[in-house]
Amino acid sequence: MVQTYLKHGPTEAFGLVASASSNSYYDGKFAYVPALEDVLVWDVKKGQMLSMWHESGHRAEVTYIARSPQKDTFAVGYADGSVRLWSASASSVLATFNGHKKAITALAFDEAGTRLASGSQDTDLILWDVVAEAGMFRLRGHRDQITAIQFVSAVSSVPSTSTSRNPGFLLTSAKDTLLKLWDISTQHCLQTVVAHRSEVWSMAVDAEQKLIFTGSGEGEMKTWRIDHEAMAAGLHENENGEVARMIYPIMTLPLSSKHRVSQITFHPTRPYLAVQSHDRSVEIFRIRTEDEARKKQARRMKRAKEKKEQAKAKGKAAEQEVAEDDSANADITLLDLFTPYLVVRASGKVRSFDFADAESSAAAAKGNASIFLALANNALEVYSIPQPTKSKEDAPEATRLLSLDLPGHRADVRTLCLSSDDVLLASAANGSLKIWNMKTLACIRTMECGYAICSTFLPGDRQVAVGTKAGEILVYDIASSSLIDTVKAHAAAVWSMHVRADGEALVSGSADKDVKFWEFEQKPADSENPHSARLLSLVHVRTLKMTEDVLSVRYSPNGKLLAVALLDSTVKVFYQDTLKFFLSLYGHKLPVLSMDISPDSKLIVTCSFDKNVKIWGLDFGDCHKSIFAHDESVMQVAFEQSDARDGIASGAKQTHYFWTVGKDKMLKYWDGDKFELIQKLDGHHGEVWALAVSHHGKFVVTGSHDKSIRVWEKLDEPLFLEEEREREMEMLYETGIADTLNREDAPIGSGAPDADGVPNNTPAEVTAVSKQTTETLMAGEKIIEALELADNELATLREYEEEKTNGGLSKQIAPPPRNQVLAAYDLSPEEYVLQVVQRISGTALYDALLVLPFGKVVSLMHYLNYWAQREWNLILTSRIIFFLLKTHHHQIVANRVMRTALIPLRKHLREGLRKQKDTLSYNLAALKYIKRQSDAQLTAEFYEEKMDEEKVREHIADGKKRKRVNIKA
């Protein structure tokens, strides 16, 4: 009989406030921040998570977030090169765009929110049509990762008679030190500027689109001027015969620090420019108008004059003042317009910042602006920027308004432990210990601690003991969330602690080569009140000296043995009562990091730096099996506890299933009797340090370097090892096919331009957007299956009709039975094919059509003709026809058979599209007429009402008064 296991599946990740993988967005109330593969929406003031944008099965990290001018839509870029459009109100995906091969690094919407530009580490720039959910084109030209994108529209002073909208321009910066201007209408690069000596990390364009600011890796910020007249004129030569430039350098602005300029942002409504050129601070510049700058200059001249007069009065030479006077008469430069105002200093390393779209009412009343900082240490902060004042005494300072950091650790989660009833989880990192409710996943207690390495709940689940790097054991009371005892236990790091199964003793192992034994002593929490809750304190009983550092200690569940793992890669087993030596387990090449003894005390499993897990018998110390378990060091191992309640009910025997976690970001589930890998679970984005297994065998919890804590629950779904291995192989095969289809280097001898091993180093500047994924391959297969089914059905019917007309069949014979699928849906073959094609998402449609062999394209053309004739979904029909004609142009021209299908198709499609055009034109004319009527009526009302000043004042005053409204029940 085949052994079955129960599957484990991931549930929600928690312990994250914001990850450092992407930028964040703040609208004045809600913060939209990355949390590894999800996006979290926080109400920063309340410290409450409103929603989590999670797509099940998608594992890639969020790398960029951009909001559309249509406020409900967000574009989110991921590390696998995909872009998803999310609806903020519904927390669901509207569309998925696949076109990039590497992580998305920049996204930008145009003014209307109908087009989206995406830049990536693969150096490509892709323009997407958000409405049609399709890629428009791919632009190539950069030689390194694109860092910023901005849509720019040409504003010409010369009036134009054209009514069509100008598609506009794109401005991009990249790590290849270049700044490029692209013309969207011609799909070509108009100008390339070598912006800096080193990588260009950031770029911003002012609201009037006249100035460009770029920041480099060397801490340099440059300004550039955009010539809109030259942009409107397009590429042309000037008098000297040179191609006219559109971007001109102005000057370099000085910054307070010389670190990488990682972000430059203009405030959407206020005259502020923010620049991040230091890890922990953001510099705010105040933007003055020319009038303000001139006034300041006049004041400077006045002061210079006064000084001059004073100097003359004292009879001193006044050369210096004359020089100053000359400088004051100089023209206004950008330095006069952009003046340093203040520096916002954060409590940690800043990952990104954002200005609030709409200020909160309190901040707006004071005239203050808010700036939101997402920190790299899993926290969010909001600072208030005060309004400029005329007083010179007090320099303006940013004040912290809000801070959100409690729902997560500032550092890696190093240790986890569960209470005996699985209700509470304690997690500890460098600096903090947090207690979580496992039902709601809410953080209910936060306590300060040192660098925590190991932890355990003490008997009774009222207290938690934490072992630190300094050699202390800290005992915390959960109810009062206070530190009640600090035990100076060891002289070096406490690597491991374990409570004996009977709950009477605790053992600790340390880098000072000691194993210490502790007993629990009960004392009342309040010495004056004998009936108060009793707290446990640790009493040192005895010490076992070892020859090497102790890395792990473990009691056997039957309480007879004690296992000690040492730095010399061996594990020594002692009798726990007499501390007499029993066994030595040697075989690991590197030190054992963790171990566990099975619930029946028969097996011990050890995991090591050498990436291996070894299973040993505790009777003779023989190694049953050595398994190469992970691709990196195996950090922790733990046997699954079978639920005692289940065992009593069904008489089930104790299992030898165990869990391992490693630095390869994986959690693995093993059968210790058959030495088989049961299940591989991936989800973490960093090394997994900590593992805690439920005492009832219902779930397992892992903590990682990515600061997230994840719970993996046991499902009721059975798992068969053969099926699991097959599924893994299938996934490998499918991704392999997609990767080979996406390869740009053609096989040798295929006749492609660079197929003979000599690379063609000049790829086309503009290409179509396509990327094969498993989804598009499956969609293509579905179309092929539908076409085959429909073709067979039509061929059978045609045969029957021919036989009937030729007299081969009598009229009484019934027609052949319909295909079962068509009969079930009650559809004709043509309707069925249309239904299958309609179900494919717009973003995957073109890539799915590329999968079709030419024979199937010919077949699809006949169905397209039928749909055009019936006017079924004309928009989709037209899209497919034009794409197929563009893609298979050479074969279609060369194929005589296609002529018979294309001529009627042209006739039917023209008729259908003409009808659509007439309907649209009629509706558009009607809407224009309604608009004209409305405008005329408003104008008439304006001129008819002749109001004098008093009436106008009365009218305004009435508007301010509160009106009484009668509400009828």
Side-chain angles (χ1 to χ4, degrees):
M1 190 174 133
V2 179
Q3 167 94 41
T4 63
Y5 303 91
L6 285 176
K7 213 175 221 174
H8 285 75
T11 61
E12 211 171 292
F14 60 99
L16 279 167
V17 180
S19 60
S21 59
S22 155
N23 67 319
S24 304
Y25 184 86
Y26 182 57
D27 65 4
K29 190 178 182 188
F30 304 136
Y32 301 84
V33 298
L36 303 176
E37 70 269 24
D38 307 326
V39 174
L40 303 182
V41 183
W42 290 98
D43 184 329
V44 186
K45 196 171 184 181
K46 292 180 184 171
Q48 189 181 342
M49 192 205 294
L50 299 173
S51 64
M52 177 191 265
W53 301 351
H54 175 78
E55 190 175 9
S56 54
H58 189 243
R59 287 263 172 272
E61 261 186 305
V62 172
T63 54
Y64 204 90
I65 300 173
R67 189 177 198 169
S68 166
Q70 295 158 359
K71 298 291 184 195
D72 186 49
T73 308
F74 281 80
V76 180
Y78 293 87
D80 61 355
S82 63
V83 180
R84 282 170 174 70
L85 292 182
W86 286 88
S87 162
S89 53
S91 299
S92 61
V93 179
L94 302 171
T96 305
F97 297 134
N98 281 303
H100 291 287
K101 294 178 184 64
K102 289 184 183 171
I104 302 293
T105 52
L107 291 170
F109 281 97
D110 67 354
E111 286 171 13
T114 54
R115 292 173 302 175
L116 171 70
S118 64
S120 159
Q121 283 179 356
D122 63 8
T123 76
D124 290 354
L125 172 70
I126 297 181
L127 201 65
W128 306 92
D129 186 336
V130 175
V131 181
E133 294 183 6
M136 293 162 75
F137 49 84
R138 182 195 305 266
L139 294 168
R140 292 196 174 115
H142 281 293
R143 291 279 173 269
D144 206 337
Q145 167 184 326
I146 293 173
T147 52
I149 303 173
Q150 183 80 38
F151 276 89
V152 180
S153 48
V155 182
S156 174
S157 56
V158 183
S160 170
T161 52
S162 170
T163 54
S164 65
R165 279 182 67 241
N166 184 0
F169 300 85
L170 269 177
L171 203 56
T172 59
S173 67
K175 280 193 187 177
D176 56 6
T177 74
L178 303 178
L179 181 69
K180 280 179 176 278
L181 181 70
W182 307 82
D183 187 342
I184 298 175
S185 54
T186 61
Q187 300 169 14
H188 281 293
C189 179
L190 293 178
Q191 189 180 346
T192 301
V193 182
V194 180
H196 292 268
R197 282 196 302 263
S198 62
E199 300 157 333
V200 183
W201 274 96
S202 51
M203 176 187 71
V205 178
D206 70 341
E208 294 171 349
Q209 297 195 342
K210 287 181 180 173
L211 297 173
I212 306 168
F213 288 73
T214 57
S216 79
E218 291 176 346
E220 188 181 40
M221 183 162 81
K222 284 189 180 176
T223 51
W224 311 79
R225 178 172 64 82
I226 304 175
D227 187 343
H228 282 278
E229 298 292 336
M231 274 167 63
L235 273 180
H236 63 280
E237 289 183 355
N238 57 18
E239 303 85 53
N240 306 336
E242 295 170 353
V243 175
R245 290 191 297 166
M246 292 155 202
I247 298 171
Y248 295 92
I250 302 176
M251 66 183 299
T252 301
L253 281 179
L255 293 174
S256 59
S257 65
K258 285 289 172 198
H259 297 79
R260 183 173 93 198
V261 183
S262 47
Q263 195 180 336
I264 305 173
T265 305
F266 281 89
H267 194 290
T269 51
R270 305 279 180 90
Y272 293 123
L273 167 72
V275 181
Q276 187 199 339
S277 66
H278 187 266
D279 278 352
R280 299 171 79 93
S281 62
V282 176
E283 197 175 344
I284 309 286
F285 286 83
R286 185 179 158 202
I287 307 170
R288 298 175 188 274
T289 60
E290 281 207 20
D291 294 344
E292 286 173 356
R294 290 210 185 281
K295 278 178 191 169
K296 195 177 178 191
Q297 205 174 46
R299 283 201 299 275
R300 207 182 297 149
M301 283 169 72
K302 195 178 174 186
R303 278 202 302 275
K305 210 172 185 182
E306 282 169 10
K307 276 185 185 176
K308 198 173 168 184
E309 281 166 8
Q310 283 171 9
K312 268 185 186 173
K314 287 176 184 175
K316 288 179 185 174
E319 289 97 10
Q320 189 186 344
E321 282 76 3
V322 171
E324 266 189 34
D325 198 10
D326 291 347
S327 67
N329 282 322
D331 287 343
I332 288 177
T333 64
L334 269 185
L335 283 174
D336 300 321
L337 298 176
F338 291 84
T339 52
Y341 181 48
L342 59 85
V343 175
V344 180
R345 288 187 171 82
S347 60
K349 192 176 173 184
V350 179
R351 168 57 182 87
S352 73
F353 66 88
D354 194 20
F355 282 114
D357 266 9
E359 298 295 346
S360 63
S361 52
K366 290 180 188 170
N368 294 352
S370 307
I371 185 167
F372 165 85
L373 307 181
L375 306 184
N377 66 0
N378 200 25
L380 308 174
E381 293 180 339
V382 177
Y383 287 82
S384 169
I385 302 165
Q387 263 196 321
T389 55
K390 291 191 175 176
S391 70
K392 285 282 169 85
E393 285 75 48
D394 23 323
E397 264 190 29
T399 50
R400 186 161 72 180
L401 292 178
L402 308 164
S403 173
L404 179 62
D405 54 6
L406 281 182
H409 287 285
R410 302 286 75 73
D412 303 10
V413 180
R414 289 307 297 249
T415 170
L416 296 168
C417 58
L418 283 157
S419 61
S420 57
D421 54 4
D422 290 342
V423 172
L424 297 178
L425 170 77
S427 67
N430 182 5
S432 61
L433 165 71
K434 289 182 184 283
I435 309 293
W436 307 82
N437 179 336
M438 284 308 291
K439 283 195 171 66
T440 61
L441 301 183
C443 177
I444 53 175
R445 294 279 186 277
T446 299
M447 292 159 268
E448 282 187 16
C449 72
Y451 197 129
I453 292 176
C454 56
S455 62
T456 178
F457 272 89
L458 298 184
D461 293 339
R462 285 174 162 275
Q463 290 150 271
V464 178
V466 176
T468 67
K469 206 169 188 175
E472 297 172 335
I473 295 178
L474 309 174
V475 182
Y476 291 89
D477 177 37
I478 295 171
S480 63
S481 67
S482 59
L483 173 65
I484 52 171
D485 198 2
T486 302
V487 183
K488 298 267 190 295
H490 293 273
V494 181
W495 285 115
S496 179
M497 286 191 302
H498 193 223
V499 178
R500 204 165 65 200
D502 59 6
E504 295 294 321
L506 173 100
V507 63
S508 64
S510 160
D512 64 0
K513 306 181 184 177
D514 285 355
V515 176
K516 290 195 177 178
F517 297 86
W518 311 80
E519 282 184 355
F520 301 119
E521 187 181 82
Q522 289 198 344
K523 59 177 182 185
D526 184 358
S527 53
E528 293 171 9
N529 178 8
H531 300 293
S532 63
R534 305 191 76 76
L535 299 175
L536 300 177
S537 63
L538 298 179
V539 180
H540 180 222
V541 185
R542 54 183 172 169
T543 305
L544 174 64
K545 297 269 184 195
M546 305 302 294
T547 54
E548 293 281 345
D549 292 14
V550 179
L551 296 179
S552 182
V553 286
R554 210 84 193 156
Y555 280 118
S556 64
N558 62 11
K560 288 180 181 173
L561 302 172
L562 171 75
V564 180
L566 301 176
L567 195 64
D568 63 2
S569 311
T570 64
V571 175
K572 303 276 192 281
V573 185
F574 300 89
Y575 289 103
Q576 78 88 18
D577 45 4
T578 61
L579 295 187
K580 194 178 159 194
F581 178 75
F582 173 46
L583 291 170
S584 179
L585 313 175
Y586 53 89
H588 280 291
K589 293 182 177 64
L590 290 168
V592 172
L593 291 172
S594 169
M595 57 189 175
D596 199 17
I597 299 172
S598 64
D600 57 7
S601 302
K602 287 181 179 171
L603 294 181
I604 180 168
V605 59
T606 58
C607 68
S608 159
F609 261 127
D610 62 11
K611 308 175 189 175
N612 287 313
V613 166
K614 288 187 192 288
I615 302 161
W616 319 75
L618 262 183
D619 37 10
F620 304 111
D622 54 327
C623 181
H624 290 189
K625 185 76 175 173
S626 180
I627 305 168
F628 181 73
H630 289 260
D631 297 334
E632 296 283 341
S633 307
V634 190
M635 297 312 293
Q636 275 204 309
V637 61
F639 272 100
E640 183 175 79
Q641 309 288 324
S642 51
D643 196 338
R645 295 166 297 190
D646 293 353
I648 293 161
S650 58
K653 70 175 182 69
Q654 293 276 13
T655 62
H656 287 157
Y657 304 155
F658 63 91
W659 293 91
T660 59
V661 292
K663 280 191 176 178
D664 60 356
K665 310 173 190 176
M666 300 293 273
L667 165 70
K668 294 187 179 183
Y669 187 31
W670 305 84
D671 184 339
D673 293 324
K674 297 195 170 176
F675 320 123
E676 290 269 18
L677 171 63
I678 304 169
Q679 203 180 350
K680 240 195 266 187
L681 295 161
D682 61 334
H684 281 291
H685 294 266
E687 302 92 277
V688 187
W689 297 115
L691 169 73
V693 178
S694 151
H695 293 94
H696 302 313
K698 298 290 181 233
F699 60 85
V700 56
V701 191
T702 53
S704 162
H705 169 70
D706 61 21
K707 302 181 184 67
S708 72
I709 302 169
R710 288 170 194 261
V711 182
W712 313 81
E713 279 188 348
K714 187 177 275 187
L715 311 171
D716 294 333
E717 199 181 326
L719 178 145
F720 299 95
L721 291 181
E722 281 78 18
E723 280 183 16
E724 191 68 11
R725 295 299 90 82
E726 268 178 34
R727 194 178 60 80
E728 283 171 17
M729 291 302 289
E730 264 176 32
M731 279 177 68
L732 259 174
Y733 174 67
E734 282 174 357
T735 49
I737 286 182
D739 289 346
T740 49
L741 284 170
N742 291 326
R743 271 179 60 186
E744 285 187 6
D745 49 334
I748 290 177
S750 63
D754 55 350
D756 299 322
V758 183
N760 182 3
N761 286 327
T762 52
E765 190 177 46
V766 59
T767 57
V769 181
S770 69
K771 183 188 176 188
Q772 292 297 350
T773 61
T774 46
E775 184 199 353
T776 58
L777 291 174
M778 283 162 70
E781 283 170 9
K782 278 180 191 165
I783 297 176
I784 293 171
E785 283 169 16
L787 286 171
E788 281 174 356
L789 189 148
D791 285 349
N792 292 341
E793 183 73 0
L794 289 172
T796 317
L797 278 170
R798 207 179 296 115
E799 238 174 77
Y800 169 75
E801 293 296 336
E802 280 173 8
E803 289 287 327
K804 218 166 152 189
T805 48
N806 295 342
L809 289 173
S810 65
K811 289 186 181 178
Q812 282 78 32
I813 290 176
R818 289 176 75 186
N819 184 294
Q820 290 168 342
V821 177
L822 298 177
Y825 286 116
D826 192 24
L827 295 171
S828 68
E830 294 87 359
E831 281 175 311
Y832 175 68
V833 175
L834 179 62
Q835 197 182 62
V836 169
V837 174
Q838 275 174 335
R839 277 191 195 142
I840 295 165
S841 68
T843 50
L845 179 64
Y846 289 164
D847 290 323
L849 291 172
L850 284 174
V851 177
L852 303 188
F854 188 66
K856 291 285 174 266
V857 172
V858 177
S859 169
L860 183 58
M861 284 291 190
H862 293 290
Y863 293 102
L864 289 167
N865 179 26
Y866 188 86
W867 302 341
Q869 196 175 349
R870 299 280 187 289
E871 291 184 22
W872 290 346
N873 200 337
L874 264 179
I875 297 166
L876 181 70
T877 307
S878 311
R879 275 180 69 188
I880 296 172
I881 288 169
F882 299 138
F883 179 75
L884 291 177
L885 290 176
K886 214 183 331 180
T887 312
H888 300 284
H889 178 256
H890 294 303
Q891 291 98 315
I892 288 169
V893 170
N895 196 331
R896 299 284 300 273
V897 181
M898 292 299 293
R899 191 176 168 79
T900 51
L902 284 172
I903 289 170
L905 178 60
R906 181 178 65 180
K907 181 183 159 213
H908 296 140
L909 195 61
R910 267 192 187 160
E911 281 173 16
L913 289 173
R914 192 177 289 121
K915 281 182 192 170
Q916 293 260 352
K917 189 185 167 192
D918 291 347
T919 311
L920 276 171
S921 306
Y922 180 80
N923 288 342
L924 203 60
L927 285 168
K928 280 181 182 171
Y929 173 72
I930 292 166
K931 186 177 183 295
R932 281 200 302 273
Q933 290 284 92
S934 166
D935 289 351
Q937 198 174 342
L938 283 170
T939 313
E941 279 176 12
F942 181 74
Y943 283 114
E944 276 169 16
E945 271 191 38
K946 286 191 176 176
M947 280 184 162
D948 56 4
E949 198 175 332
E950 283 177 18
K951 275 188 180 177
V952 171
R953 286 185 190 283
E954 276 173 30
H955 196 69
I956 292 167
D958 285 350
K960 283 181 183 171
K961 286 177 189 170
R962 290 185 181 179
K963 292 179 183 174
R964 291 180 182 275
V965 180
N966 293 327
I967 298 170
K968 291 176 185 174

